[in-house]
Amino acid sequence: MNWWDDALHRATAEVVLAGALGGLIGVQVVLRRLSFFTMALTHATFPGVVAASIIGVNIMLGGVVAGAVVALGVAALTRRRGQDAAAATGVLLSAGFALGAALVATQSGFSRDLSSFLVGSILTVSPQDLLTTALVLAVVALVLLAGARPLTQIAFDRAGAQASGVSLGAWDIVLLLTIEVVVVTLVPAVGTILALSLIVAPAAAARLWSDRLAVITALAVLFGIGSGVAGLWVSTQWNVAAGASISLTATGILLVSWMGTRLRMRAGLKRVPA
Amino acid sequence: MIEPFQLPFMGRALAEIALLALICGPVSVFVYARRLSFVSDALTHTVFPGAVIGFVAGGLEGVFLGALVAALLTAVVLTVLTRGARISDDAATAVVLTAMFSIGVVLVSRRSSYTSDLTSFLFGRLLTVTPQQLAETAVLAAVVLVALLIGARVMIFRTFDPAGAAAAGYRIAWIDLWLNVIVALVVVAAVRAVGTILVVALLIVPAAAARMVSDRLAVMAVLGTVLIAGAGYAGLLLSWTASLEYGVALTSASSVVLLLVAFYLLLIPVRLIRSAGART
Amino acid sequence: MSTAVEYRGVSLGYQGKPALTDVDVTLHPGQRLALVGPNGAGKSTLIKSMLGLVDVLHGDAAVFGSDPKSARGRAGYVPQTDSLDADFPISVRRVVMMGRYRRIGWWRPARAEDRRAVADALDRVGLTDKAGHRFGTLSGGQQQRVLLARAIAAEPRLLLLDEPFNGVDVLSQEAIVRVLRELSAEGTALVISTHDLTMAGELADLVCLVNGRQWAAGPPDETLTAGPLRKAYGERAVL
């Protein structure tokens, strides 16, 4: 029997890829404080996915189109910083969610679709889905590598980056669209809530261990993969939803990291002579 | 146009939305000014495990209490976490949201069929609001209004000038907790009847839309209430008409939200005209 | 002689609404220009306009003889430290290396000459021993010196500094002044905004007095006197 024929093997491969993808983009999301935007994206791509499945075109395409509209909308809105951006993100979130739910409700048997939208269906991942995730991972890694310098410059010092000739608008759009592609890739497999969790929690945990971006990124990828595999194992052992157990594992890693840094800080304080 | 609302369940649905309009108008103004959109969104998700545990422990009666405990717990946790500097507040909010929601999912997913639980959590059961739920909402609405009246002046001070408020001797953490608890109470009051989709919208969209028209907080609050009431009435009527006359299953929560968002979009030009006028 | 900055009857503003008017100033290489005025007078607006980040509503504005937009990447800019994220995970050395990014590009690894430029810049501001520290752990004055080092590493012919002495300790202030004098001796044109009149008088050979409009421009002993200052700060100014 082919190794890939086993649903659990495919699921394992998918969580490894998804964990790496989430950890990679998560560093940018955490540094730029884009968690709420990511959450809004997970909900806003929903109507695109549903509409695509109703018309019968590729689901991913529907998600990408809907997400791109939202990402560009947010990019336009965040040019004016302040309350309006946060509120507009919230409005997009509500609108996307409501629209998607309304579309789903017109179809029969919709509660199953809705709950798989929330918690994903990792055990039904097809070889084709795996290929897509791997491809997206490669592309995202390339984009982030190529843009590492300007993205870091902008994240650290927007005004200075602009003065040195970096195009803020173009790079903001590149980043938001990259996040969007990751979200669209992750949601069908692992669900909205877990997508957010896999993006934010490993990167936030990694941030606690180091002040160096390269180390943070490597750790985030490691934590993402680790929580994916461990969470999947827990899910098969105790028969709980995989999305939820992976998300809780990622949270656990963050908690341990947080306590670890508290202890390190306390030890560091003690070493300082009084 | 009032005929459908003479049916008891439609009348109760409208009454529920009217009650929520009363509190969500002013509360959404604070959510807007303090940029608590994400916190509100998180609260709507974190009540889920509370509701599940409450249901397991005490049946339908336990849901309310469970949600209340979970919401208050989240309000405290979020207040504490967002003050710690090590993890940025949006990341902390995201993690609390996903973790709490996942606990809820783990609890329901142990049962064989959990999809309908999730669905009702998302959509609520606006059309099956019972007189007792109405009474619960009314009580919570009264509590929220009183809490708002007591805290309004201090919360505005803190929003506008945190350093000044701290210098004047206020404990910022307690003021923040006060507002988070108010938002939590609104969520508990509303979530069972109208579902998460609608609660998030009620907490974020009204003030954002009202901001297009006015920059005075009191005007925004009143306008927010009017917008919710209007969208509630029209949305219920719309879903009623759609399902009865055209056979389209349009969920009432979705149609209310989409109408609210439509108001927001319609008011954007007003904002643009106003700011253009201010410049010349 | 070529000019670094040349403004003739310039009005600046955002979306058609003027923020600063009647600017007439000429800055040559090696000169130090201080922009003086109260908070909100338009000092930052004037600095940003030299990078083409503010609309020119009237008049002629030129940086190195052409459109200010083309100065982006050629002029150095030192922002105020309080606009930065203190928690950002980045070392002092990396911040200074950012000044070299325009030369290095996206891909190429930093060469020995880039690393040398970074080390030199850090040495000039006296922070060589802090190179490995995280930027956010430094004091306000040290952070300001790091940002100055970043600008130096880019080897600009025009350097723009937005309130470099705000909240800076005495040691850092002396270090910054010394480096600025050295830079102008090497031929760099400097624009420094400040509300510190004494500092402006000591440091600058040209002063531009602004508050909504330009009230005076010229050597410090002509501009930092009672008459022009009253105009810029109002009649009740305590001098």
Side-chain angles (χ1 to χ4, degrees):
Chain A
M1 192 173 101
N2 191 331
W3 193 82
W4 299 106
D5 288 345
D6 187 320
L8 190 58
H9 289 168
R10 285 200 305 270
T12 310
E14 175 74 14
V15 293
V16 167
L17 291 171
L21 196 52
L24 209 54
I25 197 72
V27 176
Q28 295 290 333
V29 170
V30 168
L31 287 183
R32 296 284 289 270
R33 317 210 157 163
L34 291 171
S35 304
F36 189 37
F37 167 74
T38 309
M39 180 68 179
L41 263 187
T42 60
H43 285 61
T45 53
F46 184 34
V49 171
V50 178
S53 80
I54 290 176
I55 326 172
V57 296
N58 187 311
I59 290 181
M60 181 126 176
L61 186 73
V64 169
V65 171
V69 171
V70 174
L72 295 178
V74 168
L77 287 165
T78 44
R79 292 183 78 88
R80 290 193 317 193
R81 281 189 170 268
Q83 284 110 328
D84 289 334
T89 310
V91 173
L92 287 173
L93 180 147
S94 320
F97 201 4
L99 192 60
L103 284 176
V104 164
T106 60
Q107 310 302 104
S108 54
F110 69 93
S111 9
R112 177 150 291 283
D113 293 341
L114 253 186
S115 65
S116 86
F117 165 71
L118 277 176
V119 298
S121 46
I122 192 104
L123 289 172
T124 60
V125 167
S126 69
Q128 168 131 40
D129 294 336
L130 273 177
L131 196 67
T132 315
T133 314
L135 212 67
V136 170
L137 177 60
V139 171
V140 167
L142 263 178
V143 169
L144 290 181
L145 199 63
R149 279 173 187 158
L151 284 175
T152 312
Q153 245 177 318
I154 294 173
F156 172 66
D157 171 14
R158 277 185 86 79
Q162 191 180 21
S164 76
V166 175
S167 165
L168 296 186
W171 281 108
D172 281 350
I173 288 173
V174 167
L175 180 61
L176 295 184
L177 286 181
T178 311
I179 297 174
E180 187 244 330
V181 170
V182 172
V183 165
V184 173
T185 316
L186 290 183
V187 165
V190 298
T192 55
I193 301 300
L194 176 57
L196 179 67
S197 165
L198 262 189
I199 289 172
V200 177
R207 172 68 189 88
L208 294 174
W209 290 109
S210 173
D211 282 334
R212 296 185 45 199
L213 264 181
V215 180
I216 294 174
T217 309
L219 275 179
V221 169
L222 205 69
F223 289 162
I225 295 174
S227 39
V229 174
L232 190 63
W233 181 77
V234 168
S235 133
T236 53
Q237 289 296 304
W238 283 284
N239 186 31
V240 293
S245 61
I246 294 174
S247 150
L248 285 176
T249 315
T251 312
I253 292 179
L254 177 61
L255 264 180
V256 170
S257 306
W258 185 66
M259 287 188 291
T261 42
R262 297 281 300 217
L263 288 176
R264 267 195 318 169
M265 275 164 66
R266 196 161 297 169
L269 285 180
K270 268 185 198 144
R271 271 203 300 276
V272 176
Chain B
M1 286 289 145
I2 52 164
E3 195 183 323
F5 295 101
Q6 282 162 355
L7 290 166
F9 71 91
M10 284 293 276
R12 282 199 294 271
L14 190 63
E16 173 81 20
I17 290 203
L19 274 176
L20 293 177
L22 204 59
I23 52 175
C24 287
V27 172
S28 76
V29 171
F30 282 103
V31 169
Y32 174 85
R34 287 287 326 281
R35 305 181 196 189
L36 292 180
S37 306
F38 196 21
V39 168
S40 315
D41 184 41
L43 276 165
T44 60
H45 288 81
T46 55
V47 295
F48 184 51
V52 175
I53 294 173
F55 182 77
V56 173
L60 273 174
E61 298 299 310
V63 170
F64 181 78
L65 195 65
L68 186 65
V69 172
L72 293 179
L73 186 70
T74 318
V76 174
V77 169
L78 284 179
T79 311
V80 172
L81 275 184
T82 51
R83 290 180 62 78
R86 289 298 291 164
I87 303 175
S88 71
D89 50 358
D90 71 318
T93 309
V95 171
V96 171
L97 184 165
T98 54
M100 293 278 280
F101 192 77
S102 297
I103 293 175
V105 171
V106 165
L107 291 172
V108 289
S109 71
R110 301 277 293 157
R111 307 221 317 270
S112 55
S113 160
Y114 61 90
T115 49
S116 69
D117 293 331
L118 269 180
T119 314
S120 87
F121 175 69
L122 291 181
F123 289 103
R125 301 186 190 280
L126 190 51
L127 297 183
T128 59
V129 172
T130 62
Q132 197 207 330
Q133 283 177 327
L134 258 185
E136 286 168 3
T137 308
V139 170
L140 278 179
V143 172
V144 167
L145 276 183
V146 171
L148 265 181
L149 280 178
I150 295 172
R153 192 184 300 156
V154 179
M155 290 193 297
I156 291 170
F157 187 9
R158 181 257 177 273
T159 305
F160 173 67
D161 179 10
Y170 292 111
R171 297 285 193 83
I172 301 292
W174 288 104
I175 305 175
D176 291 353
L177 182 63
W178 192 257
L179 180 55
N180 282 352
V181 166
I182 288 178
V183 175
L185 290 178
V186 172
V187 171
V188 174
V191 80
R192 191 149 53 109
V194 300
T196 55
I197 300 177
L198 186 47
V199 181
V200 179
L202 290 186
L203 282 170
I204 297 173
V205 187
R211 178 68 185 84
M212 308 282 178
V213 185
S214 171
D215 36 25
R216 293 186 44 205
L217 295 180
V219 179
M220 283 169 64
V222 173
L223 202 59
T225 299
V226 172
L227 285 179
I228 298 172
Y233 169 79
L236 282 172
L237 199 64
L238 189 69
S239 80
W240 166 270
T241 317
S243 54
L244 220 65
E245 312 258 318
Y246 302 100
V248 178
L250 183 60
T251 46
S252 41
S254 288
S255 50
V256 174
V257 175
L258 289 175
L259 280 173
L260 262 183
V261 173
F263 287 152
Y264 174 85
L265 294 176
L266 286 175
L267 289 174
I268 289 179
V270 178
R271 173 71 179 270
L272 294 179
I273 293 167
R274 282 181 63 227
S275 56
R279 255 183 232 125
T280 47
Chain C
M1 192 158 103
S2 70
T3 58
V5 177
E6 186 155 23
Y7 275 39
R8 290 280 157 264
V10 170
S11 290
L12 304 164
Y14 302 92
Q15 289 142 343
K17 189 179 161 195
L20 182 64
T21 61
D22 306 298
V23 181
D24 266 288
V25 69
T26 305
L27 183 68
H28 293 286
Q31 282 189 316
R32 299 183 293 266
L33 166 67
L35 307 178
V36 177
N39 285 332
K43 301 189 294 279
S44 290
T45 305
L46 186 49
I47 284 196
K48 285 189 183 132
S49 78
M50 294 174 188
L51 295 162
L53 298 174
V54 179
D55 298 337
V56 174
L57 305 177
H58 298 289
D60 296 314
V63 177
F64 298 127
S66 57
D67 187 343
K69 270 200 185 78
S70 65
R72 264 185 241 175
R74 290 200 287 155
Y77 172 65
V78 180
Q80 298 194 41
T81 48
D82 55 10
S83 66
L84 304 178
D85 177 1
D87 201 37
F88 201 88
I90 192 165
S91 69
V92 165
R93 191 182 290 113
R94 276 286 292 279
V95 173
V96 180
M97 186 60 91
M98 278 180 182
R100 304 292 296 178
Y101 281 178
R102 284 297 287 188
R103 290 160 195 267
I104 307 177
W106 298 2
W107 279 106
R108 193 168 65 69
R111 292 199 181 117
E113 61 171 289
D114 298 316
R115 281 194 290 275
R116 204 176 319 119
V118 168
D120 285 349
L122 271 174
D123 184 46
R124 286 182 84 159
V125 299
L127 287 175
T128 305
D129 55 327
K130 298 281 184 192
H133 287 57
R134 180 162 65 81
F135 179 78
T137 60
L138 270 51
S139 75
Q142 290 170 334
Q143 290 186 2
Q144 194 72 55
R145 279 147 77 189
V146 173
L147 295 179
L148 178 60
R150 179 178 71 171
I152 297 172
E155 297 168 23
R157 290 161 58 207
L158 170 65
L159 186 52
L160 312 170
L161 301 101
D162 198 355
E163 296 280 2
F165 304 113
N166 249 8
V168 165
D169 55 290
V170 180
L171 207 67
S172 291
Q173 179 168 321
E174 280 174 6
I176 293 171
V177 168
R178 179 176 45 76
V179 173
L180 292 183
R181 286 188 191 282
E182 287 171 14
L183 285 174
S184 70
E186 291 160 17
T188 310
L190 299 174
V191 180
I192 305 135
S193 80
T194 179
H195 54 249
D196 183 339
L197 298 179
T198 324
M199 177 58 75
E202 270 178 34
L203 182 62
D205 22 54
L206 268 177
V207 171
C208 190
L209 209 52
V210 295
N211 189 5
R213 53 162 292 189
Q214 176 182 303
W215 291 97
D221 50 1
E222 289 173 21
T223 46
L224 296 178
T225 54
L229 284 176
R230 281 228 174 76
K231 281 190 206 150
Y233 283 80
E235 286 302 326
R236 303 194 306 133
V238 184
L239 299 175

